């Protein structure tokens, strides 16, 4: 029974330690911004902290339009102190001058962290478009402040408790924050009215019901107080601005704009909605504010990581980013050149695998063109480039099926009496192959985006083999060795996923950043989540293979293999080449690779099986692969 009470007390204490921070940069905006800060501070029961700027002692960014205070005039700080002293009793207040040797943005962010700000109020005065700059203080605070930001368009007039508040809502979290601010701005005891407006496109008879349902979702996510009642209103229109403008002229004192993603917020903040609301003829003089929600923990962590990457890793210039995009976009296109290279590399790899020639297989790796679309896929995830990832996925998929078909044709044409060690090596991947592919993706992306490092790309292609596993799939399917074919397909899938993720990490670290708009990141998050899930699923069989190799191979190689080799090597012309454990769908056992001048008889194979059961374990299966070896004696030489 005591737990809920203690929880409420802790929540109130935590809330009381927070504050409302207001930034003022001129005497003209002190009255309005301090007035709105007083309203929110009283409603949230938090102290009000005012940060004044007034001279050039603070290092300013380009785009700040404030000038030094002239001698004999009232300073912004003095005006702010006078405004705070005029506040009603019960509202704690404090005027905190910014620290020197900091930019204005840095000074404000330092105060928000020190005072644990829950809301940051900042004014925006109209400035000519040619004077706008990305580092203009309101915009910088709007983008960088970790708390909820309320950006108010400064206008003349006294600030009183608003009687009618309009909140234009969409479906995103910013709208919920705007509605929450609007709920704290009204006073239900005096009959104040809060309206949530949704502009819903006309798309059938149920459009109004759909709009009301979306408004209900925003109201629920806003977590409003019980005594606040929200009037819902849905306007059916395909034009958002005229609908909001027309409703804003119906006697509202405060108009709050929330949006579903940052792109719309920027356009609303620095272009359309506030400007048009304030410039509308015969408007009732409503205050317009834009609300951006508090940064989530992951967003703040991501920003810190990006700052660290910018300082620790040399960032790609714009020219380098354009060059790598054009190169990967062109190389990822499925055309005759891509088809020819994938066909030739698969044919070479198939013959090398059948001949057990490592040199030929390496040569096929250098010819294979699959690395380029994989790097393009990683770049598309970082850029949020949907057309590019569609192109790369098409090229990778079509290249895979082409290589499997050519490998199958090679297996049927040449014949596969027994699987060579090169084929067997591709059929038993482990967790180390995943790590190799991930590191290869990072190295390949780094080399492809930096001038002078292209000479290292062939080595990366050899490290992360792509075509040999696909050729192994085709050859083993033709030979009926489905277990080895599944292992080779697993190796190829592991390489694809790990290389794409490694390339994305490399490009991200080099300065290529994803889009900030939610609609540009949604499919990126879905694809990234899918790749990570696939990677997590792949670690299970890969890890089991690695554990089996580490746990099973040493006893056989160190002790039992000596007894097996002594018995088999005693036969004329026979030699035990390799002995290892296997673990697949058919069970667990020992695989023996034997060089012999002729196929083993049934009696010899039964003897080997009994020998394995006696020397190793009677519960293991036994597989015997015989490679025929004929030794010729030169004419005239003694045998």
């Amino acid at each position: 029974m005591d737990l809920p009470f203690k929880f409420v007390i802790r929540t109130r204490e935590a809330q009381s330690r927070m504050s409302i921070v207001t930034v003022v940069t001129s005497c003209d905006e002190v009255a309005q911004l301090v007035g709105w800060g007083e309203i929110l501070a009283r409603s949230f029961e938090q102290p009000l902290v005012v940060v004044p700027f007034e001279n050039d002692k603070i290092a300013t960014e380009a785009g700040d339009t404030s000038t030094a205070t002239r001698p004999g005039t009232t300073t912004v700080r003095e005006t702010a102190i006078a405004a705070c002293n005029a506040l009603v009793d019960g509202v704690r207040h404090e005027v905190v001058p910014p620290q020197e040797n900091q930019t204005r943005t840095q000074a404000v962010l330092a105060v928000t962290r020190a005072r644990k700000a829950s809301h940051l109020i900042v004014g925006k005065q109209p400035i000519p478009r040619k004077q706008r700059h990305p580092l203009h203080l309101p915009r910088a605070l709007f983008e960088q402040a970790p708390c909820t930001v309320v950006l108010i368009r400064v206008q003349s007039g006294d600030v009183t408790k608003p009687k009618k508040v309009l909140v234009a809502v969409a479906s995103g979290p910013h709208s919920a924050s705007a509605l929450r601010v609007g709920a704290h701005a009204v006073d239900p005891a005096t009959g104040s009215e809060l309206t949530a407006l949704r502009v819903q496109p006309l798309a059938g008879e149920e459009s109004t019901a759909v709009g009301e349902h979306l408004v209900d979702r925003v109201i629920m996510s806003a977590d409003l107080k019980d005594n606040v009642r929200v009037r819902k209103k849905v306007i059916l229109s395909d034009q958002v601005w005229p609908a909001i403008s027309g409703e804003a002229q119906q006697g509202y004192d405060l108009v709050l704009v929330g949006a579903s993603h940052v792109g719309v917020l920027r356009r609303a903040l620095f272009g359309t909605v506030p400007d048009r609301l304030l410039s509308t003829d015969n408007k009732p003089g409503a205050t317009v504010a834009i609300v951006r929600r508090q940064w989530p923990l992951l967003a703040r962590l991501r920003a810190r990581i990006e700052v660290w990457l910018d300082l620790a890793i040399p960032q790609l210039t714009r020219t380098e980013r354009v060059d790598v995009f054009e190169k990967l976009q062109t190389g990822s296109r499925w055309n005759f050149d891509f088809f020819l290279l994938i066909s030739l590399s698969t044919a070479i790899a198939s013959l090398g695998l059948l001949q057990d020639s490592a040199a030929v297989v390496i040569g096929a790796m250098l010819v294979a063109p699959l690395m380029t679309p994989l790097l393009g896929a990683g770049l598309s995830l970082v850029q949020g480039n949907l057309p590019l990832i569609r192109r790369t996925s098409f090229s990778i998929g079509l290249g895979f099926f082409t290589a499997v078909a050519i490998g199958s044709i090679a297996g049927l044409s040449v014949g596969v009496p027994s699987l060579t060690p090169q084929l067997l090596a591709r059929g038993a991947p482990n967790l180390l192959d995943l790590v190799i592919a991930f590191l290869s993706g990072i190295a390949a992306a780094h080399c492809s985006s930096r001038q002078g490092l292209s000479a290292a790309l062939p080595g990366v292609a050899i490290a992360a083999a792509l075509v040999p596993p696909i050729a192994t799939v085709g050859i083993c399917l033709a030979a009926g060795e489905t277990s080895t074919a599944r292992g080779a397909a697993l190796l190829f899938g592991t390489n694809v996923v790990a290389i794409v993720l490694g390339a994305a990490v490399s490009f991200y670290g080099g300065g290529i950043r994803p889009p900030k708009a939610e609609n540009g990141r949604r499919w990126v998050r879905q694809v990234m989540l899918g790749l990570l899930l696939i990677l997590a699923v792949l670690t299970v069989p890969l890890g089991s293979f690695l554990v089996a190799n580490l746990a099973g191979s040493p006893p056989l190689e160190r002790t039992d293999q000596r007894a097996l080799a002594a018995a088999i090597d005693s036969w004329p012309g026979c030699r035990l080449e390799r002995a290892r454990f296997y673990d697949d769908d058919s069970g667990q056992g020992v695989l023996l690779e034997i060089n012999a001048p002729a196929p083993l008889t049934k009696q010899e194979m039964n003897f080997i099986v009994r020998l394995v059961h006696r020397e190793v374990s009677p519960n293991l299966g036994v597989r015997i692969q015989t490679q025929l070896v004929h030794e010729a004696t030169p004419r005239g030489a003694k045998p």
Side-chain angles (χ1 to χ4, degrees), residues 462-512:
I462 295 174
L466 294 170
V467 168
I470 314 177
T472 301
V473 172
I475 294 173
C476 292
L477 290 178
E481 296 287 345
T482 57
S483 177
T484 305
R486 285 196 299 268
L490 177 63
L491 176 59
F492 175 74
T494 301
N495 288 341
V496 169
V497 175
I499 290 174
V500 171
L501 292 176
V505 170
S506 180
F507 288 131
Y508 186 87
I512 301 176

Side-chain angles (χ1 to χ4, degrees), residues 140-287:
L141 295 177
F142 195 83
E143 294 180 353
Q144 300 178 28
C147 58
T148 300
V149 180
V150 182
L151 193 144
I152 299 176
R153 183 62 66 90
V154 177
Q155 61 185 27
S156 60
D158 297 331
V159 176
T160 59
K161 196 73 172 181
K163 298 296 183 181
K164 294 182 64 177
V165 176
L166 175 67
V167 181
V169 302
S171 303
H174 301 289
S175 295
S177 298
L179 189 60
R180 192 178 303 112
V181 171
H184 282 275
V186 299
D187 187 2
T190 61
S192 300
E193 184 179 280
L194 176 62
T195 302
L197 173 65
R198 167 81 184 191
V199 180
Q200 183 69 19
L202 182 59
E205 299 179 355
E206 303 296 329
S207 298
T208 302
V210 172
E212 292 179 350
H213 174 69
L214 295 175
V215 173
D216 290 334
R217 291 178 55 182
V218 176
I219 294 175
M220 292 182 61
S221 61
D223 192 20
L224 304 180
K225 297 184 295 185
D226 295 336
N227 61 340
V228 176
R229 295 292 179 264
V230 182
R231 171 174 165 263
K232 296 180 291 184
K233 185 168 186 178
V234 177
I235 298 179
L236 301 180
S237 175
D238 294 328
Q239 302 294 327
V240 178
W241 148 242
I244 297 178
S245 174
E247 182 64 23
Q249 298 182 43
Q250 304 304 314
Y252 290 95
D253 303 312
L254 174 63
V255 178
L256 298 171
V257 178
S260 59
H261 55 82
V262 176
V264 171
L265 279 175
R266 276 192 182 177
R267 291 193 296 270
L269 175 60
F270 302 106
T272 57
V273 176
D275 290 334
R276 292 179 178 180
L277 283 173
L278 291 179
S279 62
T280 302
D281 296 334
N282 301 321
K283 63 180 181 60
T287 300

Side-chain angles (χ1 to χ4, degrees), residues 604-624:
E604 291 172 334
M605 288 190 290
N606 289 335
F607 173 79
I608 294 175
V609 171
R610 292 193 300 269
L611 184 63
V612 171
H613 288 169
R614 185 184 67 194
E615 299 293 339
V616 184
S617 174
N619 299 322
L620 294 176
V622 180
R623 292 180 182 174
I624 302 174

Side-chain angles (χ1 to χ4, degrees), residues 465-582:
L466 294 170
V467 168
I470 314 177
T472 301
V473 172
I475 294 173
C476 292
L477 290 178
E481 296 287 345
T482 57
S483 177
T484 305
R486 285 196 299 268
L490 177 63
L491 176 59
F492 175 74
T494 301
N495 288 341
V496 169
V497 175
I499 290 174
V500 171
L501 292 176
V505 170
S506 180
F507 288 131
Y508 186 87
I512 301 176
R513 300 289 187 259
K516 293 185 177 180
E518 289 288 332
N519 59 352
R521 291 202 310 260
R522 188 177 298 112
W523 72 267
V524 174
R525 288 198 299 266
Q526 294 173 352
V527 174
M528 289 293 291
L529 180 60
L531 292 177
L532 292 175
L533 289 177
I534 293 175
L535 201 64
V537 172
L538 290 177
T539 56
V540 176
L542 295 175
S544 64
F545 286 148
L546 180 60
V547 171
N549 291 337
L550 295 177
S553 296
L556 180 63
E557 293 179 355
R558 295 177 182 178
T559 58
D560 303 327
Q561 188 175 4
R562 297 177 183 176
L564 296 175
I568 295 174
D569 293 350
S570 63
W571 300 346
C574 295
R575 182 170 180 267
L576 179 61
E577 189 68 24
R578 186 182 180 192
R580 66 180 179 88
F581 283 100
Y582 68 85

Side-chain angles (χ1 to χ4, degrees), residues 213-495:
H213 174 69
L214 295 175
V215 173
D216 290 334
R217 291 178 55 182
V218 176
I219 294 175
M220 292 182 61
S221 61
D223 192 20
L224 304 180
K225 297 184 295 185
D226 295 336
N227 61 340
V228 176
R229 295 292 179 264
V230 182
R231 171 174 165 263
K232 296 180 291 184
K233 185 168 186 178
V234 177
I235 298 179
L236 301 180
S237 175
D238 294 328
Q239 302 294 327
V240 178
W241 148 242
I244 297 178
S245 174
E247 182 64 23
Q249 298 182 43
Q250 304 304 314
Y252 290 95
D253 303 312
L254 174 63
V255 178
L256 298 171
V257 178
S260 59
H261 55 82
V262 176
V264 171
L265 279 175
R266 276 192 182 177
R267 291 193 296 270
L269 175 60
F270 302 106
T272 57
V273 176
D275 290 334
R276 292 179 178 180
L277 283 173
L278 291 179
S279 62
T280 302
D281 296 334
N282 301 321
K283 63 180 181 60
T287 300
V288 179
I290 310 297
V291 180
R292 194 220 70 198
R293 70 163 179 167
Q294 179 182 4
W295 271 24
L297 178 61
L298 292 179
R300 282 180 279 174
L301 181 61
R302 172 185 169 186
R304 292 184 180 181
I305 292 176
E306 289 182 353
V307 172
W308 179 81
L309 291 174
D310 293 342
L311 297 176
I313 301 176
Q315 302 295 285
L316 297 173
T317 64
R318 177 177 177 82
T319 302
E320 291 174 335
R321 292 197 297 267
V322 172
D323 290 342
V324 70
F325 170 74
E326 292 179 349
K327 180 170 57 177
L328 295 181
Q329 185 184 39
T330 303
S332 301
R333 182 181 293 108
W334 177 266
N335 49 27
F336 177 77
D337 294 334
F338 195 100
F339 170 76
L340 181 63
L341 290 178
I342 192 68
S343 301
L344 292 175
S345 61
T346 307
I348 296 172
S350 300
L351 296 177
L353 292 170
L354 291 171
Q355 288 185 331
D356 194 23
S357 175
V360 176
V361 174
I362 292 175
M365 299 176 189
L366 299 177
V367 181
L370 281 176
M371 181 62 77
T372 301
L374 292 179
L375 297 180
L379 179 63
S380 64
L381 291 178
V382 177
Q383 286 184 328
N385 192 332
L386 188 58
L388 180 58
I389 198 170
R390 288 174 176 171
R391 173 179 297 178
T392 56
S393 301
F394 178 79
S395 300
I396 294 170
L398 205 55
F400 172 78
F401 289 111
T402 302
V404 169
I406 294 177
S408 301
I409 294 174
L412 293 174
S413 301
V414 179
V416 188
S418 62
L419 297 183
T420 63
Q422 287 289 333
L423 290 170
L424 293 172
R426 268 75 186 180
N430 56 53
L431 202 58
L432 299 180
D433 294 306
L434 187 150
V435 178
I436 293 172
F438 181 76
L439 297 178
S440 299
I442 296 178
H446 185 78
C447 294
S448 63
S449 59
R450 309 283 177 169
Q451 296 182 356
L453 297 181
S454 58
L457 285 175
V460 176
I462 295 174
L466 294 170
V467 168
I470 314 177
T472 301
V473 172
I475 294 173
C476 292
L477 290 178
E481 296 287 345
T482 57
S483 177
T484 305
R486 285 196 299 268
L490 177 63
L491 176 59
F492 175 74
T494 301
N495 288 341

